[in-house]
Amino acid sequence: MSEPISFYEQAGGMDTFRRLVDAFYRGVARDEVLKPMYPEEDLGPAAERLTLFLAQYWGGPTTYSENRGHPRLRMRHMPFHVDPDARDRWLGHMRAAVDEIALPPALEAPLWDYLERAAHAMVNTFEPRGIGPTGPGRAGTGLPIRSAD
């Protein structure tokens, strides 16, 4: 009996995930809320990490875990101010990217469902940007909030 074909393979392999992530980061690069959340000047390293993560999650090579260990998505996103506005912007850019790669509906539906759930899970504050436990005049006991400069 043959092995079932992974989502990764059905979707077109690494090329599809690279196209998805490239389209996504074209939007992020122009987004005044999301762009400052990426520590590198060039979005290339972040794009590579997301590509490898998504490829692995959907049954592709395990390069992400080999290089970075367990994904620990919530922990990796905690230093950033991920409020509902940031989540919605992320989803907007990702929706445009998913539409651009034009997967068949049977593949697009589970991918989009996962992306929506992941985006909602990354929200770590409901405070407006620049306000909250580490905002001006407050003790630094809460989430760090990165400025847009």
Side-chain angles (χ1 to χ4, degrees), residues 3-17 50-66 71 107 110-111 114:
E3 294 270 331
I5 298 174
S6 69
F7 181 97
Y8 172 83
E9 293 173 80
Q10 291 176 54
M14 191 62 78
D15 179 61
T16 297
F17 288 96
L50 181 58
T51 300
L52 294 175
F53 169 77
L54 290 172
Q56 178 177 305
Y57 180 87
W58 292 101
T62 58
T63 310
Y64 180 90
S65 288
E66 291 165 10
L107 296 175
L111 175 63
Y114 168 76

Side-chain angles (χ1 to χ4, degrees), residues 19-28 30 88-103 108 112 115:
R19 289 186 306 111
L20 173 70
V21 171
D22 288 347
F24 169 72
Y25 277 107
R26 280 195 307 274
V28 169
R30 298 183 308 269
D88 294 346
R89 287 167 178 267
W90 191 95
L91 282 168
H93 297 303
M94 192 55 82
R95 180 73 255 173
V98 169
D99 290 346
E100 184 176 314
I101 66 169
L103 291 173
E108 180 185 310
W112 183 247
L115 293 168

Side-chain angles (χ1 to χ4, degrees), residues 34-56:
L34 297 182
K35 174 66 171 83
M37 292 187 191
Y38 294 89
E40 295 91 3
E41 275 299 309
D42 173 16
L43 291 172
E48 183 66 10
R49 289 188 298 269
L50 181 58
T51 300
L52 294 175
F53 169 77
L54 290 172
Q56 178 177 305

